[in-house]
Amino acid sequence: KRAQSPPTYIQNKLSPYYHGGEETARSLPKLLQKRGIRLVGYSVINPWPGLLNPLQDPTVLAVAERHQASGVTPAQILHRWALQIGAAIIPKASSN
């Protein structure tokens, strides 16, 4: 059977280290947008097992340092990246 209504959003862990490669990173948000489906990402700042922690990524740290005068943090850089690829984001709450 087919669904009567198409999905309105897809919620998934979102990481700058896509397992599908760079092509997937560029094409997935565009494909979803074309079909009227919103990408919702969570855990943008959390690492995948066995991969570099995005908060310690040299590129992320370099971008944050360039914006240090504005007080921009590596976490804000990663969340901005997610917004720029067209995703809605669910930031992680912390009690620290």
Side-chain angles (χ1 to χ4, degrees):
K1 283 188 165 184
R2 296 184 118 197
Q4 297 296 321
S5 301
T8 56
Y9 70 92
I10 292 178
Q11 183 176 337
N12 203 1
K13 180 173 180 6
L14 192 59
S15 171
Y17 312 119
Y18 277 95
H19 291 290
E22 191 173 329
E23 184 59 35
T24 300
R26 285 194 306 260
S27 64
L28 180 61
K30 290 176 187 176
L31 173 68
L32 293 176
Q33 183 179 22
K34 180 178 168 184
R35 295 184 179 193
I37 302 170
R38 183 76 179 179
L39 175 61
V40 179
Y42 61 88
S43 295
V44 175
I45 63 174
N46 295 332
W48 286 88
L51 294 178
L52 176 65
N53 184 333
L55 292 172
Q56 297 170 350
D57 185 292
T59 302
V60 173
L61 294 175
V63 172
E65 188 164 324
R66 282 200 306 264
H67 297 282
Q68 187 175 15
S70 302
V72 176
T73 66
Q76 289 171 317
I77 297 295
L78 290 163
H79 285 110
R80 175 64 184 257
W81 162 80
L83 291 171
Q84 285 183 277
I85 65 165
I89 56 170
I90 303 171
K92 179 181 177 182
S94 176
S95 59
N96 294 344

